[in-house]
Amino acid sequence: MSKVLLVHAKGGPPLGHVLSRTAAKAEVHLLALSALPPAVAGSAHRLCASVVTPDDAHHPDLVSLIVRRAEAVGADAVLTFSEYAVVAVAEACEALGLAGAGGAAALARDKRLMRHTWHQHGLPQPAFRPVATEADLHAAARSLPGPLLLKAAWSAGSTAHQIIRSPHEASAAWARSRDVMAESAQLGYAELHVAEADADFVVEQIVTGTASDWFDEPGWGDYVSVEGVVTDGTFHPVCLSGRMPTVEPFTERASITPAPLGRDAQDRIVELARRAVDALGLRDCGTHTEIKLGADGRMWLIETAARFGGAMTVPQIEEVFGLDLVGMLVDHLLGHRVEWPEEALTPARARGAAGSLVVLAVDGRGRAWPDRRTWDFPAVSADVSLSRGSRLSVVAESSLPDGSAVPVYDPAAGANTMAALCLLSATDARTVLRDFETLVDALPQVLPAARPSVVEPEEVSV
C-alpha cells in the first residue's frame, strides 16, 4: 500500500475530514506541527500508522525535518492543507523528488511576491507597495490613493489587517498590525518555515466592490473564490464559492457553495483565476483564488493560495458536487490517473448547497454585540428557526466547547476571535444565505449571557 506523510498545522480544512479521506487512499503517517484538536485526537491515532509531534514546530530547518520523516516512513507523497506549512512542504517535496507545489510555492504565500508577479503579467489587482518599516508605510500612504489596507505578507484568516483612511493613521496601524502578528505567532497562527515572516507587510489600495452587478439578489458579498487544482502545471477549475459581506476590516463571515452566478459571469471569473494561477507557476497542488467583483464587469485579484480553501470549503464541495478533493489530490500525488472536471462546475450541476459560517460577536451590520454571550450550540439548534429542509451542525474541532465565553470581536485579529464554525446544508445557495442572515441576527438573543466568572477561552481559527 502507498504511504503518505501528512503534515498538519493550524488552519485549512478540518483535520478529521482530511484524515479520513487520505486514509482511504493510502497508509497515513502524520507529522503534527500543531497540537491535534481534541475532537479528532483519538481518530487520528486509529487512522494513522504513526503520529509524530516534534518538540518545536518552529524547527530551524523545517524542510529537513519533513524530509527526514518522509524518508523514515518511506513516503510516496508528502502533502499539507495548512497555509502555514505550504512552503516548507513544497521545498521538502522538491528535495525528495516527489510531486508538489514546486519551487514557486512562495509566490502563492508571500503577498508581496504574489502581487509583484501579477503586476509583471499585467493582471488586474489593487495598487500596492511592499512595506518593511514604518517609514515605508508612511511613504506608501503618501503615494497611493486611499483608503488603504495594511496586510501582513504571510498572514491568513484576515489577521493583522488595518484600514488606513488618511496618512496620519499610518503609525497606529503599523503598531497594531505588528502586535497582532506577534500575538498570532504565540497562538500558532504563523508561518512555520520563513524566519521573521511576521515582519513583512504589504499595503494596497482598497478598491470598491459591487455585488449587485453580479448577483440577482441582495445580501451577497462583493467577492468570490475559485476552487481548483493544478496537476503537472495545468490548472483545473472545480467550482466557485460565494460569500456574505465581510466584517470590517475584511474578516470573512461565511462561504457558500455554489456561487449563484450566471454562466457568462462564471466563465469570466474562472478565466481570470486561470491567468492568476498560471502566472505563479504552480505544479501539483490545490488552489484557492479570491477575486473582488466591481461595477461594469471589473475584477481585481485578491490572492491565490497553493492549497485548497480552508474552513469547510472542501467538505462543502464534496456534499454539493460529490467530489472528494482530498482523495483525488492524494491519488494524483501518488501517480494515479484522476478525472478532474473538464470545466468549473455550475450551480445547475449542484445537489443543493452548503455553507460554513464563522461565529463572531458582531451583528449583521458588523456592530459588536451589546453584551457578552456564552457559546451553546444546543441552544442555537433548538431556538433558531431555519428554512424547511435546512440542516445545521457545528464543526467541533474548529469551535470552542459549549459553555465558553464568545470572544469579543477584534477587527485586527480577524478570525482569531471566532467562537465557532457552523455548517449548513440547504436546497439552494439563496436559502443558505438567508438562513445564515437569520442565524447571525438570532445569535445574540438565543445564546446564554456570559457569567462574569467565565474564564476567557483561547482563540480558535480556521
Side-chain angles (χ1 to χ4, degrees):
M1 191 176 190
S2 298
K3 298 178 181 180
V4 170
L5 178 65
L6 176 62
V7 180
H8 166 68
K10 291 191 175 183
L15 179 59
H17 181 92
V18 167
L19 278 178
S20 63
R21 274 61 178 179
T22 305
K25 300 291 183 178
E27 178 181 293
V28 182
H29 295 266
L30 185 62
L31 178 61
L33 304 181
S34 298
L36 299 182
V40 298
S43 60
H45 286 278
R46 289 193 303 271
L47 290 170
C48 298
S50 69
V51 178
V52 171
T53 303
D55 293 334
D56 182 10
H58 294 272
H59 196 274
D61 190 353
L62 184 56
V63 174
S64 294
L65 174 67
I66 297 170
V67 168
R68 289 196 302 272
R69 186 60 189 156
E71 291 176 336
V73 301
D76 302 294
V78 180
L79 74 162
T80 187
F81 295 90
S82 168
E83 182 83 346
Y84 304 119
V86 162
V87 176
V89 168
E91 293 185 11
C93 288
E94 291 285 280
L96 292 161
L98 299 175
L107 301 184
R109 182 73 181 97
D110 183 341
K111 295 176 178 59
R112 301 166 303 171
L113 298 178
M114 188 186 305
R115 294 230 171 274
H116 179 67
T117 301
W118 285 341
H119 177 72
Q120 289 182 314
H121 285 79
L123 298 178
Q125 62 179 336
F128 71 98
R129 298 285 188 279
V131 174
T133 65
E134 185 177 346
D136 289 345
L137 181 57
H138 279 283
R142 291 191 297 268
S143 64
L144 289 175
L148 305 176
L149 180 64
L150 178 64
K151 295 179 176 180
W154 298 84
S155 68
S158 303
T159 56
H161 285 192
Q162 289 283 288
I163 295 177
I164 301 173
R165 294 181 174 85
S166 63
H168 78 268
E169 296 178 345
S171 292
W174 177 253
R176 182 60 181 140
S177 286
R178 288 176 61 85
D179 286 346
V180 169
M181 287 304 293
E183 294 164 6
S184 294
Q186 291 297 315
L187 295 171
Y189 303 113
E191 171 61 32
L192 295 172
H193 176 49
V194 178
E196 300 181 356
D198 59 347
D200 300 328
F201 290 82
V202 63
V203 66
E204 60 189 43
Q205 181 186 14
I206 296 176
V207 294
T208 302
T210 306
S212 60
D213 280 14
W214 297 81
F215 295 92
D216 294 334
E217 55 193 7
W220 291 97
D222 59 6
Y223 72 113
V224 295
S225 59
V226 180
E227 322 303 344
V229 67
V230 177
T231 61
D232 302 318
T234 299
F235 174 61
H236 303 277
V238 173
C239 68
L240 275 67
S241 295
R243 295 293 194 280
M244 292 181 76
T246 57
V247 179
E248 190 172 330
F250 288 101
T251 301
E252 297 190 46
R253 193 196 284 273
S255 166
I256 300 172
T257 308
L261 294 164
R263 182 59 182 264
D264 290 345
Q266 174 160 313
D267 288 347
R268 291 187 59 238
I269 293 169
V270 169
E271 179 55 30
L272 179 56
R274 184 186 305 279
R275 293 170 61 197
V277 173
D278 287 349
L280 298 176
L282 301 173
R283 198 174 64 212
D284 294 287
C285 60
T287 63
H288 174 77
T289 302
E290 296 179 354
I291 295 175
K292 185 89 164 180
L293 307 175
D296 302 319
R298 292 196 67 185
M299 296 180 286
W300 300 269
L301 292 167
I302 301 175
E303 61 187 40
T304 286
R307 42 87 181 165
F308 292 132
M312 294 298 285
T313 303
V314 170
Q316 287 165 209
I317 292 171
E318 182 171 328
E319 177 174 343
V320 172
F321 291 112
L323 295 178
D324 171 14
L325 292 186
V326 172
M328 294 167 73
L329 179 59
V330 170
D331 273 343
H332 171 74
L333 295 177
L334 292 173
H336 304 313
R337 179 177 174 81
V338 177
E339 294 293 335
W340 299 100
E342 295 182 0
E343 58 183 2
L345 300 173
T346 64
R349 299 276 300 277
R351 303 177 301 192
S356 47
L357 177 76
V358 174
V359 175
L360 302 167
V362 291
D363 64 17
R365 297 184 180 181
R367 300 172 302 192
W369 291 351
D371 52 17
R372 299 298 301 278
R373 294 283 161 169
T374 299
W375 175 244
D376 186 343
F377 181 71
V380 173
S381 59
D383 298 337
V384 180
S385 297
L386 302 176
S387 301
R388 184 175 182 179
S390 294
R391 303 182 308 278
L392 182 69
S393 59
V394 66
V395 185
E397 69 175 89
S398 302
S399 303
L400 295 172
D402 290 330
S404 302
V406 175
V408 174
Y409 175 66
D410 180 352
N416 284 1
T417 51
M418 67 179 279
L421 181 67
C422 293
L423 176 68
L424 189 141
S425 303
T427 54
D428 53 48
R430 179 184 184 278
T431 301
V432 175
L433 176 64
R434 298 304 171 221
D435 281 347
F436 276 164
E437 291 174 337
T438 298
L439 188 58
V440 168
D441 289 340
L443 284 173
Q445 280 74 50
V446 302
L447 290 176
R451 300 187 305 274
S453 59
V454 171
V455 177
E456 288 294 327
E458 179 178 315
E459 292 87 343
V460 298
S461 177
V462 294

